Amino acid sequence: MKRLIIAAMLASVVLPQPGLARTKPVKVELPLPPTPAGAAPQTAVTAPIAPQSGPAQTVHVGTAAADRWWTAFASPAINDLVDQALVANADLGAAQAALRQAHDLAGAARGALFPQLDAGYQVERQRISQTLSSPLLDPNPTVFSVHTAQVSVSYALDLFGANRAHFASAAAQARVAAAQADGVRNLVSANVVLAVIQNAALQAQAEDAQTAIDSNRAVLTMLRRREALGAVGKADVAAQEAALAAAEGALPPLERARRTNLAALAVLLGLAPGAALPKLPALDEIALPTDLPLVLPSDLVAQRPDVAAAAAGMEGAGADLKAAIAARLPSITLSASTGGAARDFSDMFRDGNPFWSLLGGLTAPLFHGGTLRKQQRASQDALEAATARYRGVALQAFADVSNALTALSTDADALDAASRGDTAAQASLGFVKRQLELGSVGTLAVLNAAAAAQQARIQYVQARSARLTDTVGMFVALGGGQLGLAGKAPAAAPEKRP
């Protein structure tokens, strides 16, 4: 089986060995599926998925999903709704705000790589007792002012990369936030499309349920006329009344589900439930995408937002480990200040008044009760956990693509069976109704045929909508197109050696 080796942080992620100086890059050995189809039928990628009762779908191996993948359903209403959701959705807004926060925190961490420069000015007005010695040249005044201005600069030499590691960790968290924002964008888009498909399916089922109600009501009217003529008994009429009540009882749950779905769609669009929504397309107005992308497994790990987030999290854990290692090593700090002080503002920088100072410090940890060593071990444990998490997320991504292909393949077979069953059931119901009119069959035959016809029609509508929803699932499994935000995260500081 082929395996993919992923470097955790290019050149900057290290795992500690028995000595602090002995480190090596972390690598993740990731097993790849033997074929792009994974556990799905191989015919799903080698031949078109072509049911007899619907359009064929062709999977193009090595092709990435388009960024606006939902346009493949050829529905202007879906396009408008997704665009509205991408602007007004609350979850996406929160994810984008978190991304901006992560960028700002990374920028703040980057500031530690440069010298710190500060300027200050202080004026003091004071009155002292004549019995005290005055600090001024003239000992007689008891009221005086002192003006002080100075500039100071400090710089912590990053000998062992602690500051660079902190910035690399913050930059990795920004990439995590970017990938998570991409994931939210993908899920919001998918949920909008699924809500529209679900509404169309429920609307179609409700229309079929109303048709069944009308059909049962017509049969009941006919039976009552025949009862008046003495051709059937009250038992037949009562049975049909029960069938009509059952058909009418199927409509309220569909309406409840449809309104619940509309409320969820309104929330996705940033609206309150009950707000006016644009006209949603019917099931026949939503086109089934006929050309489907399928990236190679090695490309999938770079395209899926959740895998990208896990990879960035692993990089951040590696940077945290490097910072923990550097915390056990000496640090050098340099600082300098210059300025002037005088009674009058204009005299601060005259001869004798300017001052300056230089300071260099070396600090080395000697004994911290094992705190630093335990923190390093904790960081190593966190890196190992992040590595395992990345491996699990990547394997799940392969499984999601495999399951999506399996669903598309089996949906075609289910649609063929449902289509044949619906055609046969509707024809059978028509024959039985005609026979009932002629008096050659009883009510029981009509009831059985009507129930079978209604169930067959429900299965047919569900099979049609399943192909659409599982196609959405395929786009989601592939990561929803190219990453839109993760590539904009700040890069880590270049690795430098002292």
Side-chain angles (χ1 to χ4, degrees), residues 398-423:
F398 299 150
D400 290 344
V401 173
S402 174
N403 294 339
L405 285 172
T406 299
L408 293 175
S409 180
T410 55
D411 284 345
D413 298 334
L415 179 61
D416 279 339
S419 178
R420 293 194 304 270
D422 179 61
T423 301

Side-chain angles (χ1 to χ4, degrees), residues 134-141 343 353:
S134 173
L136 305 177
L137 295 177
D138 185 359
N140 294 323
R343 290 175 55 186
N353 290 333

Side-chain angles (χ1 to χ4, degrees), residues 356-368:
W356 58 268
S357 65
L358 296 175
L359 176 65
L362 173 65
T363 303
L366 297 179
F367 178 75
H368 287 253

Side-chain angles (χ1 to χ4, degrees), residues 38-52:
Q42 296 303 310
T43 55
V45 296
T46 58
I49 304 173
Q52 297 179 356

Side-chain angles (χ1 to χ4, degrees), residues 113-204:
L113 302 176
F114 303 95
Q116 309 299 308
L117 181 64
D118 298 290
Y121 169 73
Q122 179 179 348
V123 59
E124 178 182 357
R125 183 73 171 170
Q126 184 176 0
R127 183 183 188 280
I128 62 175
S129 171
Q130 291 183 350
T131 60
L132 299 178
S133 176
S134 173
L136 305 177
L137 295 177
D138 185 359
N140 294 323
T142 58
V143 179
F144 61 91
S145 299
V146 176
H147 298 265
T148 305
Q150 71 175 27
V151 176
S152 61
V153 61
S154 62
Y155 181 57
L157 296 180
D158 198 18
L159 294 178
F160 301 101
N163 292 338
R164 291 192 297 275
H166 286 305
F167 170 59
S169 177
Q173 290 304 313
R175 290 192 292 276
V176 170
Q180 290 174 342
D182 277 326
V184 174
R185 172 182 179 270
N186 189 27
L187 289 179
V188 168
S189 304
N191 286 335
V192 170
V193 179
L194 290 174
V196 174
I197 294 173
Q198 180 71 1
N199 179 80
L202 290 171
Q203 186 64 40

